[in-house]
Amino acid sequence: MEADNLTVGEYKLTCKLGGGSSSTVWKAEHRSTGKVVALKQIDLHKLTRQLKTCLDCELNFLSSVDHQNIIRLFDVFEAENSIFLVLEFCAGGDLASYIRNHGRVQECVARKFMKQIGAGLQVLSMHQIIHRDLKPENILLSSIENDLILKIADFGLSRMLNPNDLAETVCGSPFYMAPEILQFKKYDDKVDMWSLGAILFELLNGYPPFRGRTNVQNIKASLRLPFSEPILPQLYPDCVDLCSRLLSIDPEKRISFTEFCQHDFLKIDERRR
């Protein structure tokens, strides 16, 4: 399916933004209003039973929330043996591209980004949703301007998890997957906190913390947090502490979302700089 002069429903596809094994994301314009949106096309024939459950979770969650740090869902329709999610278009691209273009960011920028992602995760927590695929590619930027708003996107692997319940499906992206998932253990919402720690590390260093070619290499590497030596002296101890506690290999010792929100690093007054 090519975008050239192609229309789907009320929308004209302009270019392909990305995609995965069962979905494709297009930039599109509404034919009558000209409104620019992102169309997430999901091939219904490629959905397993588990992915259908995740899709139901994604639709139920996004249709019930309206928060500046969560991607907005405007509409849903079916066509071409696919279901299309009409989503907010974010002109700033994703956080992965931002890091590639800017390199490591200043600590104050990392704090600002963590606060925004945390605000989005609070909405997930209120709905008892775990994302399971938090990574820079799934954090979108509202624009290319200086006053950026970050939005958590792509809930295609999300699921509801009641308190004291555990999940066991192996899913996510290896560089950002918690060790308990890599070790095929049952897990809870602490897996999202690990991913958050990996994102914070990448913001501060310019590259992910664990880049082994195999799951075993990543598990072994996670026993040691490899902060770049020249960067360490520039960081507040609270910053290093938060990152280290998020990337604790033992989920029992890993910081919870509530503890994350109360951590001193997020409360540092910028006037101290």
Side-chain angles (χ1 to χ4, degrees):
M1 185 175 179
E2 300 295 333
D4 296 341
N5 299 317
L6 185 62
T7 59
V8 179
E10 296 295 317
Y11 296 90
K12 179 177 69 174
L13 306 186
T14 57
C15 67
K16 182 178 177 180
L17 296 175
S21 59
S22 61
S23 65
T24 305
V25 181
W26 307 89
K27 183 179 180 181
E29 292 181 8
H30 193 277
R31 288 189 292 172
S32 60
T33 67
K35 181 178 181 178
V36 178
V37 299
L39 277 187
K40 182 177 180 180
Q41 177 187 8
I42 301 170
D43 188 335
L44 295 174
H45 295 305
K46 294 183 179 180
L47 292 184
T48 64
R49 185 173 65 178
Q50 287 181 336
L51 287 177
K52 287 180 181 177
T53 300
C54 291
L55 175 59
D56 289 340
C57 179
E58 180 175 22
L59 292 176
N60 290 335
F61 174 67
L62 290 180
S63 63
S64 65
V65 300
D66 182 4
H67 189 277
Q68 69 170 359
N69 300 120
I70 301 289
I71 196 73
R72 287 192 63 191
L73 175 67
F74 298 125
D75 194 13
V76 181
F77 64 90
E78 289 191 35
E80 307 283 344
N81 297 314
S82 300
I83 186 167
F84 287 83
L85 279 60
V86 184
L87 298 161
E88 174 183 10
F89 175 71
C90 294
D94 59 41
L95 190 57
S97 298
Y98 183 90
I99 295 172
R100 283 196 300 270
N101 294 332
H102 292 79
R104 67 182 187 88
V105 304
Q106 294 181 349
E107 190 180 62
C108 59
V109 175
R111 181 184 303 109
K112 176 182 176 181
F113 286 177
M114 283 291 106
K115 286 182 176 180
Q116 292 194 38
I117 299 172
L121 286 176
Q122 187 170 28
V123 180
L124 272 72
S125 178
M126 291 169 57
H127 287 78
Q128 298 178 354
I129 299 290
I130 55 174
H131 189 284
R132 300 199 292 188
D133 198 20
L134 282 177
K135 57 183 178 181
E137 289 83 355
N138 289 339
I139 306 294
L140 303 183
L141 282 60
S142 61
S143 70
I144 57 176
E145 304 300 327
N146 291 329
D147 191 18
L148 299 174
I149 297 177
L150 273 57
K151 299 175 183 287
I152 301 175
D154 198 344
F155 290 80
L157 294 178
S158 64
R159 63 157 290 180
M160 179 175 286
L161 192 69
N162 294 318
N164 302 318
D165 284 351
L166 296 173
E168 55 186 334
T169 301
V170 176
C171 60
S173 302
F175 287 175
Y176 306 93
M177 287 167 65
E180 56 266 34
I181 300 181
L182 293 171
Q183 294 173 310
F184 307 103
K185 297 179 179 179
K186 294 183 178 181
Y187 57 86
D188 58 16
D189 59 348
K190 289 282 189 74
V191 297
D192 281 350
M193 302 314 296
W194 173 277
S195 301
L196 187 60
I199 293 171
L200 174 57
F201 182 97
E202 188 166 348
L203 286 168
L204 295 169
N205 291 268
Y207 51 82
F210 312 115
R211 295 175 287 176
R213 294 184 178 179
T214 68
N215 290 351
V216 173
Q217 288 175 331
N218 279 332
I219 293 170
K220 289 181 177 179
S222 62
L223 294 172
R224 174 178 169 270
L225 191 59
F227 267 109
S228 172
E229 289 300 324
I231 294 174
L232 267 176
Q234 305 174 31
L235 300 176
Y236 271 120
D238 287 335
C239 177
V240 179
D241 178 72
L242 176 59
C243 196
S244 300
R245 294 179 67 189
L246 285 167
L247 291 174
S248 172
I249 193 170
D250 183 353
E252 293 292 327
K253 297 178 181 178
R254 191 178 307 148
I255 193 171
S256 68
F257 177 68
T258 300
E259 292 170 324
F260 166 79
C261 293
Q262 297 172 348
H263 196 277
D264 287 342
F265 173 64
L266 301 183
K267 299 179 180 179
I268 294 174
D269 190 335
E270 290 302 323
R271 290 172 296 182
R272 287 168 51 185
R273 279 296 188 187

